[in-house]
Amino acid sequence: AQSVTQLDSQVPVFEEAPVELRCNYSSSVSVYLFWYVQYPNQGLQLLLKYLSGSTLVKGINGFEAEFNKSQTSFHLRKPSVHISDTAEYFCAVSVSGGGADGLTFGKGTHLIIQP
Amino acid sequence: NAGVTQTPKFQVLKTGQSMTLQCAQDMNHNSMYWYRQDPGMGLRLIYYSASEGTTDKGEVPNGYNVSRLNKREFSLRLESAAPSQTSVYFCASRDRGRSGTDTQYFGPGTRLTVL
């Protein structure tokens, strides 16, 4: 079984400052890694994903994440945040190899942008 | 192209009542999923369907049943609702068909309250 730990439940950041949202995972098999964003009262939107290849993954809205296999981490970063980035961010994993298993999610990090 | 649609958007039930949450996708995906989202818990998998005609239990299946009516539709039924089933329910479908595209797409959610 897989598990995901998002170390911070809330991260307050000033507008235009950089941010890092931390995600660690545990799995006995190879995994795919995902970051989703949820704006208030909406569904989840994919920010970026790591399936294979380059460990630095770029996503939408200026976000990027780096897969670190030795640290079992997949931290999300943005060099300069905007008020519109205020949302809940979820890290998730699935077993690689094309199986149909669902995603295992972390508990989420609420990113709060302060003006 | 509507993606993943869910009905209803909101529902209030009394304890013991039954209801069915509907989900449909128009992306020709084989796999579909039901998750529930509770505050501070992230999303947890209830049931999934790898393909038309098959369903499997996820992490929290108790109190629910599902039907994969055809390739497009995947419904979730609460036979006798309980207050513990108050939650936001998300349906998702998964693109597994092409290399490098393993992604789940989420519907807008159904907010269910059981009194």
Side-chain angles (χ1 to χ4, degrees):
Chain A
Q2 300 76 46
S3 66
V4 177
T5 302
Q6 291 183 243
L7 296 161
D8 305 297
S9 59
Q10 283 193 86
V11 173
V13 182
F14 286 107
E15 196 172 13
E16 298 184 5
V19 69
E20 178 180 83
L21 305 184
R22 296 180 293 168
C23 172
N24 287 88
Y25 69 94
S26 173
S27 176
S28 58
V29 298
S30 294
V31 295
Y32 295 151
L33 294 151
F34 305 83
W35 275 99
Y36 282 86
V37 60
Q38 183 180 35
Y39 298 104
N41 299 313
Q42 294 189 26
L44 276 73
Q45 180 182 2
L46 181 69
L47 271 179
L48 48 78
K49 61 187 177 186
Y50 172 79
L51 304 183
S52 64
S54 172
T55 57
L56 182 63
V57 179
K58 294 191 183 298
I60 62 171
N61 301 341
F63 285 94
E64 64 180 32
E66 185 153 22
F67 170 55
N68 187 320
K69 189 173 182 179
S70 62
Q71 303 281 339
T72 60
S73 67
F74 191 54
H75 301 332
L76 181 71
R77 301 187 185 98
K78 186 170 183 178
S80 176
V81 296
H82 189 266
I83 287 285
S84 59
D85 292 323
T86 296
E88 192 85 17
Y89 292 80
F90 293 97
C91 182
V93 301
S94 67
V95 175
S96 66
D101 303 45
L103 292 167
T104 299
F105 283 86
K107 294 184 178 181
T109 298
H110 188 195
L111 179 60
I112 302 166
I113 309 301
Q114 301 168 326
Chain B
N1 189 338
V4 180
T5 57
Q6 293 182 236
T7 55
K9 285 187 168 48
F10 301 94
Q11 184 71 49
V12 178
L13 293 178
K14 295 181 180 178
T15 297
Q17 288 185 317
S18 63
M19 79 161 295
T20 300
L21 282 65
Q22 306 287 354
C23 174
Q25 53 96 5
D26 62 2
M27 296 175 282
N28 202 36
H29 293 163
N30 284 320
S31 302
M32 297 184 72
Y33 305 81
W34 277 105
Y35 296 87
R36 60 177 289 172
Q37 182 181 23
D38 302 293
M41 298 292 292
L43 280 77
R44 292 178 292 168
L45 182 65
I46 305 171
Y47 270 94
Y48 67 99
S49 170
S51 61
E52 186 178 351
T54 69
T55 60
D56 284 287
K57 295 179 180 179
E59 181 186 351
V60 289
N62 291 345
Y64 304 96
N65 286 301
V66 290
S67 295
R68 184 73 183 269
L69 304 170
N70 47 55
K71 192 170 186 179
R72 289 187 65 249
E73 298 172 290
F74 187 37
S75 62
L76 178 72
R77 182 160 178 84
L78 288 70
E79 291 290 352
S80 179
S84 61
Q85 295 177 304
T86 293
S87 188
V88 182
Y89 292 85
F90 288 100
C91 177
S93 70
R94 181 173 176 180
D95 178 3
R96 299 166 51 217
R98 293 167 294 153
S99 175
T101 62
D102 195 319
T103 299
Q104 288 195 23
Y105 296 88
F106 286 79
T110 294
R111 190 174 296 272
L112 175 67
T113 301
V114 183
L115 302 175

